């Protein structure tokens, strides 16, 4: 079943703004070439590089420093999730968007914990994928409506849990900010929705990162809503 992306505002690039530089890590050659062709013919984008395995990208991407990386999850050898986990500390300004066929909770939150900012399904059409790349570059967190619902459900389940060391450290307002981050809101949109300033939003987010000991929005969301899932994965036989 095809899941459409949650509608996002159209973000126009002015002629004076640098184009968004995108790299692709995808082992399916036809898919990689289709994505490259989409970027080549789209205004406001530059295709930087393409890789068919994670290992090759590890040596090149830190030098190329693209703005956005589209990363497949299931790759030969190292997985896309492990690749992002290694690259994110070296490329803190680069946004990693998982581009995959998987839509289950384990894959979603593994990707977010690794440092990914967005999560798109491979059946996303041309215009929606490009809109998502613009959105993540502007500070959003693109994901399909289905995945956004899964994240919201996890927040709902978390709020119903008895307080523990891991789920009471955030204040009510911090949880509100984190949930909006998880749903893909920009800082400006969070500020407008909560009737606070963008600077205040930024302060909340810095405190959230400090309390959860994370460095990205994806890691914060994954750690906060998915602790029981992480524990169940550790107990699973390999």
């Amino acid at each position: 079943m095809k899941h459409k992306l949650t509608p996002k505002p159209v973000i126009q690039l002015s002629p004076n703004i640098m184009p968004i530089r995108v790299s692709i890590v995808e082992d399916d050659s036809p898919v990689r070439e289709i994505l490259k062709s989409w970027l080549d013919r789209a205004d406001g984008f530059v295709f930087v590089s393409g890789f068919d395995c994670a290992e090759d990208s590890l040596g090149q991407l830190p030098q190329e420093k693209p703005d956005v990386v589209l990363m497949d999850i299931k790759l030969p050898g190292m997985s896309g999730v492990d690749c992002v986990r290694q690259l994110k500390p070296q490329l803190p300004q680069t946004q990693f968007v998982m581009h995959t066929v998987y839509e289950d909770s384990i894959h979603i939150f593994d990707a977010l914990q690794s440092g990914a900012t967005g999560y798109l399904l491979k059946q996303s059409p041309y215009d929606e994928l490009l809109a998502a790349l613009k959105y993540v570059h502007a500070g959003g967190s693109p994901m399909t409506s289905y995945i956004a619902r899964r994240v919201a459900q996890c927040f709902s389940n978390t709020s119903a849990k008895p307080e523990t060391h891991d789920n009471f450290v955030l204040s009510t307002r911090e949880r509100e900010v984190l949930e909006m981050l998880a749903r893909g809101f920009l800082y400006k949109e969070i500020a407008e929705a909560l009737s606070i300033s963008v600077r205040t939003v930024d302060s909340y987010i810095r405190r959230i990162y400090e309390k959860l000991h994370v460095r990205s929005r994806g890691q914060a969301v994954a750690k906060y809503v998915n602790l029981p899932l992480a524990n169940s994965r550790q107990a699973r036989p390999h």
Side-chain angles (χ1 to χ4, degrees):
M1 182 173 117
K2 180 177 175 181
H3 303 294
K4 291 187 176 180
L5 287 171
T6 306
K8 301 294 182 187
V10 175
I11 300 170
Q12 300 290 347
L13 293 174
S14 90
N16 297 323
I17 294 179
M18 295 292 290
I20 301 169
R21 303 172 65 253
V22 182
S23 290
I24 299 167
V25 185
E26 167 63 64
D27 66 312
D28 188 321
S29 181
V31 171
R32 194 171 62 251
E33 288 304 313
I34 288 171
L35 293 172
K36 178 182 181 300
S37 69
W38 286 2
L39 293 169
D40 285 341
R41 75 178 201 243
D43 292 333
F45 292 92
V46 170
F47 172 75
V48 177
S49 56
F51 305 92
D52 60 9
C53 67
E55 288 81 358
D56 288 348
S57 72
L58 288 174
Q60 287 290 110
L61 289 178
Q63 280 71 50
E64 295 170 347
K65 294 181 172 59
D67 299 311
V68 181
V69 175
L70 267 178
M71 178 75 68
D72 190 12
I73 285 183
K74 187 173 177 57
L75 294 166
M78 179 185 292
S79 73
V81 170
D82 288 336
C83 185
V84 173
R85 188 173 287 115
Q86 290 198 29
L87 285 171
K88 187 61 180 177
Q90 302 177 64
L91 296 167
Q93 302 306 314
T94 296
Q95 304 305 316
F96 292 87
V97 177
M98 309 312 289
H99 190 232
T100 180
V101 297
Y102 298 111
E103 54 189 358
D104 59 277
S105 296
I106 289 178
H107 283 98
I108 294 168
F109 289 108
D110 272 348
L112 293 175
Q113 275 185 317
S114 75
T117 310
Y119 196 103
L120 303 177
L121 298 179
K122 285 191 175 180
Q123 58 262 48
S124 302
Y126 168 82
D127 56 343
E128 292 182 347
L129 184 135
L130 294 182
L133 295 181
K134 290 180 182 179
Y135 194 68
V136 73
H137 185 58
S141 184
M143 60 185 73
T144 66
S145 57
Y146 171 82
I147 291 171
R149 286 196 299 273
R150 297 295 293 270
V151 171
Q153 288 167 1
C154 287
F155 267 92
S156 177
N157 293 339
T158 300
S159 64
K161 293 175 187 174
E163 289 191 347
T164 67
H165 175 72
D166 289 315
N167 70 8
F168 79 86
V169 292
L170 299 186
S171 69
T172 299
R173 179 48 61 90
E174 287 166 349
R175 288 197 298 269
E176 290 173 344
V177 170
L178 183 55
E179 181 171 0
M180 295 182 78
L181 275 180
R183 293 182 176 184
F185 284 74
L186 301 171
Y187 285 20
K188 180 181 178 182
E189 294 169 334
I190 296 173
E192 291 173 353
L194 299 180
S195 299
I196 57 180
S197 70
V198 173
R199 179 174 293 182
T200 301
V201 172
D202 187 60
S203 296
Y204 278 125
I205 291 170
R206 284 201 304 271
R207 288 207 297 271
I208 290 167
Y209 286 6
E210 289 171 2
K211 287 182 176 183
L212 297 182
H213 307 290
V214 297
R215 292 182 293 182
S216 74
R217 106 170 41 203
Q219 290 172 341
V221 172
K223 183 168 185 178
Y224 187 68
V225 305
N226 201 42
L227 289 167
L229 190 60
N231 292 337
S232 68
R233 280 199 303 272
Q234 290 171 3
R236 205 174 49 185
H238 295 287

